[in-house]
Amino acid sequence: MAQFAKKLRALLEKAGKIDGPTGDALLAEAQGNRQSLTEVCVRKGVATESELLALISRAANVPPIDLSKLTVNKEVLESVPEDVAREYCIFPVDRIGNLITVAVANPFDVLKLDDIRIITGCQLRIVVSTAEEIEKIRGKGYQRETESVDGILGSFDDADVELKESDADDEATDLSAISDEDSPVVKLVNKMILDACNTGASDIHIEPFEKKVIVRYRKDGCLFEAMTLPKRMQNNITSRIKIMSKLDIAEKRKPQDGKFQMKIGHKAVDFRVSILPVVWGEKTVFRILDSTNLALDIKSLGFEPKAMEDYLWACAQPYGMILVTGPTGSGKSTTLYSAVKHIAAPDINLVTVEDPVEYQLEGINQVPVNPKAGLTFSGALRSILRQDPDVVLLGEIRDHETLEIAVKAALTGHQVLSTLHTNDAPSTITRMVDMGMDPFMVASSTLLIAAQRLGRKLCTNCKRRVELPKDALLRLGFLEQDFEQPLELYEPAGCPRCNGGYKGRFALLETMRMSEVIKRMVVERAHIADIKKQALAEGMLTLRRTGLLNAMRGKTSLQEVEATTMAD
């Protein structure tokens, strides 16, 4: 796709949409985020999806197509094998005799089109769409192994269910290898997993109730119901998942945690599994860890310039502690991983301690915490400090002992990165003191405290302009200076391409650099409100202010800012 990206960049320059340096920046961002150039251009507002399709269509003399309105024809799908469609990023639209209409993202690659002609043995009529739309409809269209839930349930019989423990020994089960002979439970669990991955979900929740089992997916931070299953399948589904995760099938009274890996298409995806006893059985939650979606380029995270400046400054320091705070699922791990990747170098000994290791990073020593074997955060950190580390990443600081060792490590020439659970950056100081640390030690060891949240991005295809009275905007946190230029604010509308008007998420970051003034205030046990006031005077952007700045750019809505951040 690299050649296509360069071609698209040339078309955008010719159309006057971008200049040379902007094109370089867009290409670098697309490569860093492992995204297509079309997706980056739409997100950055360089051009809409329809404008990009029009440019490509005119240049290639190929008509565009809106795949979101296409009705999938099973007979047409049989013309092109699924692995071919995935490999060449195409989707069969229609077939008349020996002529197949195929949607492609790159109509300029004649060699690829020749390959498809040879494989299918048919003539091609080309139409153009985006890679994102093709991948989306391909996930919905090719559903051999994920036949309808009704069909799976209709073939379910308690007496016929076979749960084979040998499945758990496979390094990575290939979903494409599931055969028609597999039991309904195997098919159903695989359908859940594949559907969730195709829709871009981050979690799968299987929740037992008195008379039914509800399956919900979390996408862009919001849960939505995916399917409802009969109560009689509950125990078999849970047992199947336990076998896949190498857990104890007989244990139903205690929580259990496990993991497994499955091959989906050409990539292996890791799943973290948590099973919790509830009133009506056992609730199961999958965490989907797809490393191909992990953006490790620190400059591609989209932070505000002030926050990025503070974060890069802290990463460049030889020793001290960087803390990222926020609730579970707020993107703290991604932010820390990006810092690790930015800092990593052949002459640096970098070690991480995680519970568990979510993503495996090349060239980084990663230690998984194992409390059952006596390997805790504090115990692992003690051992690591005997191994001459330069940089240590602690997955989480949970207790006084771990915090004390981390602070002492930061004071003795090590750079320490970790997370805490607090609401904002200034309150982290209070949290550390409450955990038993002396304020002088906190002030001396800490370089930067960052509070993070994830906000949902508005769908660029359907967002609509909204007008609000000035007094309402001032109550939300807007400043008088914001009204010097006309404000362009948007709200979600909803279309087939998005999830209720939103598509994707972005990070909101509040960074508080530990200046000399703030350090002195911490040592003097100043009130947290006074510390926050001083940080604001030094240029700190709060989470609410960061959200409002993104709303003014049309990136998100005011409803999302209110739901994600607290008023200042």
Side-chain angles (χ1 to χ4, degrees):
M1 295 294 286
Q3 292 297 324
F4 175 64
K6 291 178 181 178
K7 177 71 175 178
L8 179 56
R9 172 193 166 173
L11 293 175
L12 288 167
E13 285 190 33
K14 187 176 179 182
K17 296 283 186 182
I18 59 172
D19 54 22
T22 304
D24 292 337
L26 291 172
L27 280 175
E29 183 171 341
Q31 184 177 6
N33 290 352
R34 299 180 183 178
Q35 295 176 320
S36 67
L37 184 58
T38 55
E39 188 174 356
V40 173
C41 287
V42 171
R43 189 180 72 246
K44 290 286 188 180
V46 173
T48 64
E49 200 171 88
S50 57
E51 288 173 337
L52 291 172
L53 281 178
L55 279 175
I56 298 168
S57 174
R58 282 197 298 270
N61 196 25
V62 171
I65 186 172
D66 185 354
L67 292 178
S68 64
K69 298 178 181 177
L70 179 69
T71 301
V72 177
N73 187 322
K74 188 176 180 180
E75 293 180 2
V76 175
L77 291 181
E78 294 174 355
S79 306
V80 180
E82 182 183 2
D83 57 342
V84 174
R86 184 187 302 112
E87 180 72 26
Y88 290 93
C89 191
I90 64 171
F91 187 80
V93 174
D94 195 12
R95 177 171 183 170
I96 302 175
N98 203 37
L99 179 66
I100 303 176
T101 301
V102 177
V104 301
N106 180 7
F108 305 104
D109 192 341
V110 292
L111 295 177
K112 177 181 73 176
L113 298 178
D114 284 341
D115 288 347
I116 298 168
R117 288 188 184 95
I118 294 169
I119 293 168
T120 60
C122 297
Q123 294 299 311
L124 301 183
R125 178 177 178 267
I126 305 302
V127 292
V128 67
S129 183
T130 63
E132 294 74 35
E133 288 299 311
I134 290 173
E135 187 170 345
K136 188 175 179 180
I137 195 170
R138 188 174 63 241
K140 295 177 180 177
Y142 288 97
Q143 294 192 349
R144 176 185 62 81
E145 64 274 338
T146 57
E147 60 188 85
S148 70
V149 175
D150 291 340
I152 294 172
L153 297 182
S155 62
F156 177 78
D157 186 339
D158 294 321
D160 293 337
V161 176
E162 270 189 39
L163 296 172
K164 299 174 287 184
E165 294 221 28
S166 59
D167 288 344
D169 298 330
D170 294 337
E171 194 170 299
T173 304
D174 188 348
L175 277 186
S176 64
I178 304 300
S179 69
D180 294 336
E181 286 75 31
D182 283 302
S183 74
V185 172
V186 173
K187 291 182 180 179
L188 187 58
V189 172
N190 283 313
K191 175 175 174 56
M192 291 178 198
I193 293 170
L194 194 57
D195 283 357
C197 292
N198 286 335
T199 58
S202 60
D203 301 86
I204 305 172
H205 292 241
I206 305 172
E207 303 167 320
F209 294 96
E210 184 179 6
K211 297 180 180 179
K212 60 185 177 181
V213 177
I214 294 177
V215 179
R216 297 194 292 171
Y217 300 154
R218 185 181 294 279
K219 183 180 179 184
D220 294 338
C222 293
L223 282 168
F224 66 92
E225 189 172 318
M227 62 182 80
T228 301
L229 305 174
K231 183 71 175 177
R232 62 195 177 97
M233 293 196 75
Q234 175 183 315
N235 292 335
N236 293 289
I237 291 171
T238 305
S239 296
R240 169 63 184 168
I241 294 166
K242 286 180 177 178
I243 286 173
M244 295 168 72
S245 310
K246 300 183 180 178
L247 300 177
D248 185 355
I249 298 177
E251 181 56 73
K252 298 184 179 182
R253 298 168 298 171
K254 296 179 182 178
Q256 295 190 71
D257 296 314
K259 61 181 180 179
F260 64 93
Q261 188 179 81
M262 297 197 86
K263 188 177 179 183
I264 300 176
H266 292 292
K267 61 187 179 183
V269 179
D270 293 302
F271 297 85
R272 269 170 48 193
V273 177
S274 174
I275 296 178
L276 178 70
V278 294
V279 173
W280 300 109
E282 293 175 284
K283 177 180 176 178
T284 303
V285 177
F286 292 77
R287 188 82 184 271
I288 302 172
L289 302 172
D290 185 357
S291 59
T292 60
N293 293 331
L294 184 66
L296 290 177
D297 182 2
I298 196 170
K299 295 181 180 178
S300 70
L301 295 177
F303 297 152
E304 294 297 316
K306 174 67 169 63
M308 181 60 73
E309 178 188 337
D310 288 344
Y311 199 50
L312 290 174
W313 168 83
C315 290
Q317 302 310 302
Y319 58 87
M321 189 156 58
I322 302 171
L323 294 172
V324 182
T325 76
T328 302
S330 59
K332 301 188 299 293
S333 295
T334 299
T335 300
L336 287 177
Y337 278 138
S338 69
V340 165
K341 199 70 176 178
H342 180 76
I343 295 168
D347 59 341
I348 288 178
N349 180 16
L350 200 158
V351 187
T352 76
V353 188
E354 303 170 65
D355 182 22
V357 174
E358 291 191 359
Y359 299 103
Q360 295 180 11
L361 304 177
E362 185 70 29
I364 306 295
N365 300 295
Q366 295 175 272
V367 179
V369 168
N370 187 354
K372 292 180 181 178
L375 183 59
T376 60
F377 275 111
S378 56
L381 185 53
R382 278 198 186 91
S383 297
I384 288 169
L385 292 176
R386 299 188 196 107
Q387 296 213 337
D388 185 33
D390 298 298
V391 182
V392 179
L393 185 151
L394 272 173
E396 185 180 350
I397 293 176
R398 298 176 178 174
D399 51 47
H400 168 75
E401 185 182 11
T402 307
L403 177 60
E404 185 178 28
I405 301 168
V407 166
K408 288 180 178 177
L411 289 171
T412 54
H414 304 88
Q415 192 174 60
V416 180
L417 299 90
S418 191
T419 69
L420 272 172
H421 290 285
T422 58
N423 291 328
D424 60 10
S427 64
T428 305
I429 301 293
T430 306
R431 171 73 173 141
M432 294 169 76
V433 173
D434 288 345
M435 290 174 72
M437 288 308 302
D438 183 274
F440 175 76
M441 299 281 279
V442 172
S444 302
S445 63
T446 310
L447 290 168
L448 180 79
I449 301 172
Q452 182 165 321
R453 299 291 186 277
L454 288 180
R456 290 182 293 170
K457 291 189 286 189
L458 284 168
C459 173
T460 55
N461 187 57
C462 66
K463 66 180 182 180
R464 61 190 175 207
R465 187 87 175 268
V466 62
E467 299 286 345
L468 292 171
K470 182 178 178 179
D471 59 339
L473 296 177
L474 288 171
R475 284 196 300 272
L476 280 173
F478 281 88
L479 306 176
E480 285 290 347
Q481 66 198 47
D482 296 332
F483 299 94
E484 294 174 0
Q485 298 291 333
L487 289 177
E488 288 191 18
L489 302 172
Y490 295 87
E491 64 180 2
C495 70
R497 300 183 184 181
C498 65
N499 183 25
Y502 296 97
K503 188 176 181 181
R505 290 194 288 177
F506 67 101
L508 300 169
L509 200 71
E510 169 185 300
T511 55
M512 186 177 79
R513 193 189 293 200
M514 296 293 285
S515 66
E516 291 303 321
V517 176
I518 291 178
K519 286 182 179 180
R520 187 168 62 251
M521 293 177 74
V522 172
V523 173
E524 294 170 353
R525 296 181 182 268
H527 193 276
I528 198 65
D530 295 328
I531 294 176
K532 182 175 182 179
K533 186 177 179 180
Q534 176 61 32
L536 289 171
E538 294 178 4
M540 181 182 83
L541 296 174
T542 64
L543 288 167
R544 172 57 64 92
R545 182 61 182 167
T546 304
L548 293 177
L549 288 173
N550 280 282
M552 286 188 275
R553 299 186 190 109
K555 191 172 186 177
T556 190
S557 68
L558 292 178
Q559 299 100 303
E560 183 66 10
V561 174
E562 281 191 283
T564 309
T565 64
M566 296 285 286
D568 297 329

